[in-house]
Amino acid sequence: TVNIERQYYVWATLIVAAVHKVLLPDSRVEEFMESGAFSMESETDLENYFHELMHFKPQLAMLPLSQSDPLHAAQWLARPLSGADLPSGYLGSLLAELTTLVSEVLSSLAGAPKLGSKKLNIGRRTIEAKEAFAMLVEPTEDVMHWVLEVARLHSVKHFGRDNPQRLFPPADVFS
């Protein structure tokens, strides 16, 4: 699981999903996953941008809450596809850490104007990096629930490849 966590369940990938949802509010979880945007394997310009940004802010390469609450950092991955069953206080802690991280990234981008003005392709839109991060200064619970659904469905599909009958079918309705 270390490899998959490194590629999919780190802040950089979750932020990519959050920005997609904010820019394209009608996005559906399965459509987003099928787009291939939920990855961090240096195969696209967006992924390469985040890898470069990780040199300035290594926390982007970490699981959420892995520093502040390591025992509970990935608890949500092994749960069903529902936001109703998150561990107590998890969403609030996640939103607080994201808010801090986004603020720190924006400060780093202010000191690296070339990196901050880089054009990013997010879904069907192009936006400057600093604008993309600015959209997450005050992340909403709805957006983070959606991001967690993306990660959870990815986890179920990824780990279900060995024995699909064990984990499928996934829920049909995602917001």
Side-chain angles (χ1 to χ4, degrees):
T1 62
V2 171
N3 189 44
I4 192 167
E5 288 172 350
R6 176 182 55 81
Q7 293 175 344
Y8 297 103
Y9 311 129
V10 296
W11 271 123
T13 312
L14 300 178
I15 287 171
V16 167
V19 171
H20 270 83
K21 185 63 173 173
V22 171
L23 270 177
L24 307 164
D26 294 332
S27 296
R28 296 180 53 83
V29 169
E30 242 176 47
E31 291 168 355
F32 175 69
M33 286 183 51
E34 289 170 8
S35 76
F38 191 67
S39 179
M40 199 53 58
E41 298 190 45
S42 297
E43 294 178 353
T44 67
D45 289 342
L46 183 61
E47 292 168 25
N48 287 326
Y49 175 81
F50 271 90
H51 278 279
E52 184 178 351
L53 191 56
M54 287 176 193
H55 293 287
F56 291 89
K57 196 66 190 151
Q59 190 178 359
L60 288 167
M62 299 179 76
L63 287 169
L65 307 180
S66 61
Q67 288 180 307
S68 61
D69 192 8
L71 295 177
H72 300 103
Q75 267 190 340
W76 55 274
L77 280 176
R79 294 172 181 266
L81 298 171
S82 164
D85 66 342
L86 289 172
S88 177
Y90 183 84
L91 188 61
S93 297
L94 184 74
L95 288 166
E97 187 169 294
L98 176 59
T99 300
T100 300
L101 179 58
V102 165
S103 175
E104 292 170 358
V105 168
L106 285 169
S107 293
S108 294
L109 294 179
K114 185 176 175 185
L115 204 53
S117 62
K118 173 84 173 161
K119 300 283 187 193
L120 304 177
N121 293 319
I122 309 282
R124 302 174 300 274
R125 309 241 335 246
T126 301
I127 187 171
E128 282 192 2
K130 61 186 172 203
E131 292 176 45
F133 279 97
M135 293 186 320
L136 298 177
V137 168
E138 294 181 19
T140 66
E141 286 188 10
D142 289 343
V143 167
M144 290 315 298
H145 275 292
W146 187 85
V147 169
L148 294 177
E149 283 183 14
V150 167
R152 286 172 155 188
L153 182 58
H154 178 274
S155 175
V156 167
K157 284 187 170 188
H158 179 83
F159 291 113
R161 286 185 190 137
D162 331 346
N163 184 354
Q165 291 72 33
R166 179 177 54 189
L167 296 171
F168 288 119
D172 341 76
V173 181
F174 293 102
S175 53

